[in-house]
Amino acid sequence: MFAIEANGQTIEAQPGETILQSLKRGGINVPTICHMEGLLPSGTCRMCVVEVEGFGGLVPSCSYPVAEGMKIRTNTPVVMQTRKTIIDLLLSNHPDDCLYCARNGNCDLAKLAADNGIRERSYQGERSHRPKDLSSPSIIRDPDKCILCGKCIRMCDEIQGVSAIDFIQRGSKAYVGTAFNQGLNVSSCINCGQCILVCPTAALSEHKYVNEVLQALADPEKMVVVQHAPAVSVTIAEEFGFDPGTDFDGKMVAALRRAGFDRVFDTSFAADLTIMEEGSELVHRVQNGGPLPMFTSCSPGWVKFVEEFYPEFLPNVSTCKSPQQMMGAVIKSFFAQKENLDPKKIISVSIMPCTAKKFECNRPEMGRDFVADVDYVLTTRELAELFRITGVDPAAIEPETADTPFGERSSAGKLFGASGGVMEAALRSAVFLLTGAEMKDYKIQALRGMEGSKELRVQVGDLEVGAAVVSSLGQARKLMEELKAGRSDLHFIEVMTCPGGCINGGGQPIGADKAAIKARMAALYQIDSADQLRVSHKNESVHRLYKEFLGKPLGHKSHELLHTHYDKREVLL
Amino acid sequence: MPTVKSVETILLDHPDAGRDHLIPILQEIQESEGFLSQESITKVGQALAMPSSKIFGVATFFNMFRFQAKGKYHVMVCRGTACHVKGSGRSLDMVTKALKVQPGETTRDKMFSLEVVACMGACGLAPVVNINGQFYAKVSPMKLQRIIEECREKEQVHANA
């Protein structure tokens, strides 16, 4: 620790940190654009420049190491004018369609302009007119709104290890694009949507299906059924001004009914179903010699990642569909039968924290007889939009519970929303399935938390199970390389595409920092610790479904409805 | 005529290549194949453990790389200082309209490809256009249009013969 002087006051600085980090701790706010917490600085946007006494020019605080005795000024006329000029130039060729923009009211660039007092146009630059990329079912790219900060590229490369996009061309012609300018749908993009979360403008946004859903709701011929994912209830409140970690489970269910959905189901029920199927599959694989380790298949971004980058590991991926698709499949089969409805008359909507789910529900194998199991996927953000359009205020209404026959869920199913949650839920049931005894304490601390990679060795009966949990595909890639190099002590690996799991999914409210994500995670574990039913294998509704319809886990009907297959995917890597 | 080397041979010439070898490798491929195809970029990506988006990003940074095969007539329009002053910009406008391609592209019938160069070292003849190695001096839009039409007529004669 040493002292530096900033704007006349003395603040503490630590050796090895950047000027920006010291200033932030000292309570001095410096605007940034390209800066990303936890990644090496790129120093490209120059928004964070400060004056340092004795230095010739302005210094980018995000990438310059702090040194003892530095005298820093962050609000001199030169610094403030420089910031203004940078923003002025960014705005000079920006389309003036804020009123119609997907990020209206939630735009980092607009906020930056407002915060720095820019209220008129100083420069009129030549607009770029590149076509929007509407090819992907998950993500829309609008290059005209891009300010070339490069955060999406770094997210895709450094965190996710996919690198579907990069800067193409140079200078004033530069833009962010895929290899050979192909559409995102045929690129190596895995649809995770993390790029949307870091984009300061609407250059990247989700492919919206709100209008399609509203149309279905207005159609008296159709029965519109909705399911909501475990991670949505703990984040939707943020869209309505509540603190991160506020749980809106019952309120959201009530609000969905008010918005006009005929039935509201909880995807956590299907998560319990997934545990039964996946757990049985794991036991089957262990008893019949593999292939091991088995990977989870709940995260559609991860599944596409394996299909593209590690096709040799496809036999290791669990054949179970994701909870969303399992729920979709039973809705259009068992539920349709029960209600005496033609599956074609049912519109199945799912509310997900995820943009890749939009891609997943479009996969041709996810349906039967040209009827898709899930018709539309809305993200948490789109759900908030739907509530606003339909004039439903979830904050103001009394909580309700989800509908039968898929209303009951265990809190283990709810844990699917956080990294480590699937593993924890699976182990709770695996211990019971293999030994016949319940765990003494359901809480498995080693699997909880925000770390990208967690491992656990646990004795289940005679077998020592090696379990690994990774979130973010960059972490997954590391583990895959270890496995390729011959590592063989693992049995079961949970992979979630987004860092921290679905609570930080690409469809979640924008602008969440690490503390917000931790609060969302804590909310899920809070729900679990307070719940009566904490294990999937005790979910009576799941048992009933097996008894009345599916038969037994891994049975014939299960295979037909709840399991799938994967193929190598040819894309430009 | 440069010898035609396959991408594999070129990559074999660069054993243990890292990303610092990328540009020389791309140059050699372009020299051998005339352009950078998706296939060759994928192969380079596998060899250097680089994503193809990054390679495409690097390659598009430089004007020298093209991504479509050259046409039968490769038209190079000089936009160097001397040619610019003498009005080569108008000739370029004309030829992009006449061929309906942008610089770096090839017509769909694979007859013409267009390239913009910064200087061909013949400033005394400005504005200069070069087609398949042959220099055309003091090229006005009208003159360039005639040259292109001549090329087309030649092809017509070939086709009828």
Side-chain angles (χ1 to χ4, degrees):
Chain A
M1 282 288 224
F2 51 80
I4 57 166
E5 195 187 301
N7 296 345
Q9 68 187 88
T10 307
I11 60 172
E12 294 272 300
Q14 276 167 6
E17 68 180 7
T18 61
I19 297 177
L20 183 72
Q21 285 168 321
S22 309
L23 291 174
K24 207 169 176 186
R25 220 162 358 86
I28 296 171
N29 191 24
V30 178
T32 56
I33 300 176
C34 71
H35 177 66
M36 290 173 87
E37 205 75 54
L39 293 187
L40 283 174
S42 69
T44 46
C45 76
R46 317 311 273 185
M47 262 318 287
C48 64
V49 287
V50 294
E51 259 180 41
V52 182
E53 203 176 281
F55 281 58
L58 297 172
V59 177
S61 62
C62 76
S63 50
Y64 206 91
V66 71
E68 193 163 0
M70 268 185 170
K71 286 190 175 140
I72 299 160
R73 299 206 76 86
T74 68
N75 51 13
T76 62
V78 176
V79 171
M80 291 190 291
Q81 189 52 50
T82 306
R83 276 184 208 148
K84 270 191 156 179
T85 308
I86 292 169
I87 302 167
D88 267 334
L89 288 169
L90 286 176
L91 293 174
S92 69
N93 67 347
H94 200 76
D96 285 327
D97 65 349
C98 297
L99 283 175
Y100 308 102
C101 182
R103 288 287 291 271
N104 182 9
N106 188 18
C107 172
D108 293 353
L109 185 61
K111 185 171 185 303
L112 210 55
D115 287 354
N116 288 280
I118 290 165
R119 280 298 170 248
E120 63 186 34
R121 186 180 281 285
S122 311
Y123 310 103
Q124 184 72 60
E126 195 187 337
R127 299 273 163 82
S128 69
H129 293 284
R130 294 189 180 279
K132 275 190 191 180
D133 180 0
L134 306 170
S135 64
S136 159
S138 303
I139 298 168
I140 289 179
R141 291 190 310 129
D142 184 353
D144 291 356
K145 288 184 178 159
C146 177
I147 58 169
L148 300 176
C149 67
K151 280 160 102 168
C152 51
I153 296 171
R154 294 169 69 203
M155 179 51 90
C156 198
D157 180 22
E158 292 175 40
I159 305 277
Q160 296 297 48
V162 173
S163 255
I165 46 175
D166 198 9
F167 287 119
I168 310 294
Q169 295 202 5
R170 130 180 82 126
S172 62
K173 288 186 182 139
Y175 63 98
V176 174
T178 59
F180 282 93
N181 252 333
Q182 293 176 324
L184 268 187
N185 60 338
V186 289
S187 75
S188 58
C189 168
I190 46 105
N191 306 305
C192 69
Q194 287 294 314
C195 53
I196 301 174
L197 294 184
V198 294
C199 182
T201 68
L204 289 156
S205 60
E206 69 275 19
H207 199 142
K208 285 191 182 175
Y209 294 91
V210 176
N211 287 335
E212 284 83 346
V213 172
L214 285 171
Q215 237 167 39
L217 287 172
D219 188 344
E221 296 282 295
K222 299 274 199 273
M223 177 180 234
V224 189
V225 175
V226 68
Q227 54 168 313
H228 62 89
V232 175
S233 76
V234 293
T235 58
I236 182 75
E238 290 168 44
E239 287 278 344
F240 293 91
F242 289 81
D243 285 337
T246 312
D247 183 30
F248 257 22
D249 192 32
K251 282 174 179 291
M252 182 175 65
V253 171
L256 284 167
R257 286 208 184 98
R258 301 282 199 290
F261 290 97
D262 298 305
R263 289 287 200 294
V264 184
F265 298 135
D266 191 338
T267 311
S268 309
F269 165 86
D272 286 337
L273 192 58
T274 306
I275 289 294
M276 297 305 287
E277 290 291 330
E278 209 165 77
S280 308
E281 188 185 354
L282 180 64
V283 171
H284 180 83
R285 285 188 189 219
V286 169
Q287 287 167 350
N288 293 282
L292 288 169
M294 185 174 90
F295 295 104
T296 57
S297 59
C298 306
S299 192
W302 152 247
V303 169
K304 188 165 185 251
F305 182 81
V306 186
E307 288 179 323
E308 290 172 1
F309 292 93
Y310 295 96
E312 69 272 27
F313 280 102
L314 282 174
N316 294 62
V317 180
S318 162
T319 60
C320 291
K321 289 182 183 174
S322 70
Q324 161 178 286
Q325 294 305 136
M326 283 199 183
M327 182 66 107
V330 288
I331 284 173
K332 294 234 173 154
S333 55
F334 174 69
F335 175 74
Q337 228 172 65
K338 219 173 161 153
E339 295 281 315
N340 221 349
L341 270 169
D342 179 1
K344 290 190 178 73
K345 288 251 164 78
I346 299 178
I347 298 288
S348 172
V349 179
S350 90
I351 315 290
M352 291 285 143
C354 182
T355 46
K357 290 278 171 196
K358 292 168 186 276
F359 163 80
E360 185 185 37
C361 82
N362 274 325
R363 289 176 80 115
E365 65 271 22
M366 296 296 178
R368 283 163 310 289
D369 307 328
F370 303 104
V371 180
D373 286 338
V374 174
D375 296 286
Y376 303 113
V377 174
L378 301 184
T379 60
T380 312
R381 297 190 291 270
E382 287 168 272
L383 177 63
E385 187 178 322
L386 183 97
F387 283 159
R388 285 189 208 105
I389 290 177
T390 51
V392 178
D393 180 5
I397 47 185
E398 284 301 309
E400 292 172 13
T401 50
D403 282 304
T404 52
F406 315 126
E408 193 185 1
R409 59 134 182 89
S410 76
S411 63
K414 200 76 187 161
L415 292 185
F416 269 55
S419 166
V422 176
M423 183 62 78
E424 189 166 339
L427 287 178
R428 287 178 188 179
S429 290
V431 167
F432 176 78
L433 290 177
L434 283 168
T435 65
E438 291 290 337
M439 284 168 74
K440 273 202 247 22
D441 184 10
Y442 286 134
K443 183 175 174 182
I444 308 175
Q445 190 57 44
L447 297 176
R448 300 186 173 190
M450 288 287 291
E451 295 81 38
S453 166
K454 294 165 269 193
E455 287 192 20
L456 179 70
R457 307 202 67 81
V458 57
Q459 196 68 36
V460 182
D462 316 325
L463 180 75
E464 198 195 38
V465 175
V469 170
V470 288
S471 70
S472 93
L473 294 179
Q475 297 286 348
R477 197 183 262 278
K478 267 192 216 158
L479 187 62
M480 298 301 269
E481 290 303 325
E482 284 176 27
L483 293 172
K484 254 179 142 170
R487 189 176 169 188
S488 60
D489 61 324
L490 293 171
H491 296 91
F492 191 31
I493 299 171
E494 175 209 297
V495 185
M496 292 199 188
T497 306
C498 295
C502 311
I503 42 165
N504 187 27
Q508 295 283 35
I510 284 170
D513 54 6
K514 209 155 191 176
I517 293 156
K518 273 188 183 154
R520 293 170 180 175
M521 191 180 261
L524 283 182
Y525 288 122
Q526 173 61 34
I527 293 169
D528 175 54
S529 66
D531 213 275
Q532 299 294 319
L533 176 62
R534 294 181 66 187
V535 283
S536 305
H537 57 268
K538 284 194 187 162
N539 185 332
E540 284 306 321
S541 301
V542 171
H543 285 301
R544 208 175 310 128
L545 181 64
Y546 275 115
K547 216 166 96 193
E548 289 178 20
F549 186 65
L550 289 171
K552 60 179 198 320
L554 302 186
H556 176 69
K557 201 108 200 180
S558 293
H559 259 291
E560 195 184 308
L561 290 172
L562 308 183
H563 289 256
T564 183
H565 61 275
Y566 313 103
D567 291 309
K568 182 176 170 14
R569 202 173 271 273
E570 294 288 348
V571 292
L572 275 182
L573 293 182
Chain B
M1 218 23 209
T3 49
V4 178
K5 274 168 132 183
S6 72
V7 179
E8 284 79 5
T9 342
I10 291 169
L11 287 170
L12 280 178
D13 291 346
H14 296 263
D16 307 319
R19 54 205 304 160
D20 49 327
H21 282 71
L22 176 63
I23 292 173
I25 290 173
L26 293 181
Q27 281 172 316
E28 283 173 42
I29 293 173
Q30 168 139 322
E31 199 172 308
S32 166
E33 303 197 331
F35 72 111
L36 302 176
S37 65
Q38 285 190 17
E39 292 74 28
S40 40
I41 283 196
T42 317
K43 281 176 196 163
V44 174
Q46 276 161 1
L48 305 189
M50 277 181 82
S52 54
S53 63
K54 289 244 174 315
I55 299 177
F56 187 65
V58 169
T60 52
F61 186 91
F62 299 101
N63 285 340
M64 61 184 165
F65 292 117
R66 49 185 300 120
F67 305 94
Q68 289 181 11
K70 281 182 186 171
K72 189 163 182 188
Y73 296 92
H74 187 58
V75 183
M76 293 200 281
V77 179
C78 182
R79 293 287 289 127
T81 313
C83 291
H84 170 74
V85 171
K86 293 286 230 170
S88 69
R90 282 182 288 123
S91 297
L92 182 63
D93 285 346
M94 194 290 298
V95 77
T96 51
K97 279 193 191 114
L99 298 179
K100 299 196 182 76
V101 289
Q102 291 300 313
E105 294 176 354
T106 303
T107 55
R108 291 178 74 171
D109 59 3
K110 310 229 188 306
M111 205 52 79
F112 293 97
S113 49
L114 181 60
E115 188 180 342
V116 166
V117 293
C119 185
M120 291 189 268
C123 305
L125 308 174
V128 181
V129 169
N130 179 322
I131 299 178
N132 291 353
Q134 188 180 343
F135 279 84
Y136 295 88
K138 297 195 167 55
V139 176
S140 65
M142 287 267 281
K143 188 170 171 186
L144 185 53
Q145 190 159 18
R146 252 199 329 273
I147 296 167
I148 301 260
E149 271 161 20
E150 272 166 28
C151 296
R152 280 194 176 131
E153 275 161 25
K154 234 192 290 180
E155 284 310 306
Q156 210 62 46
V157 173
H158 271 294
N160 294 338

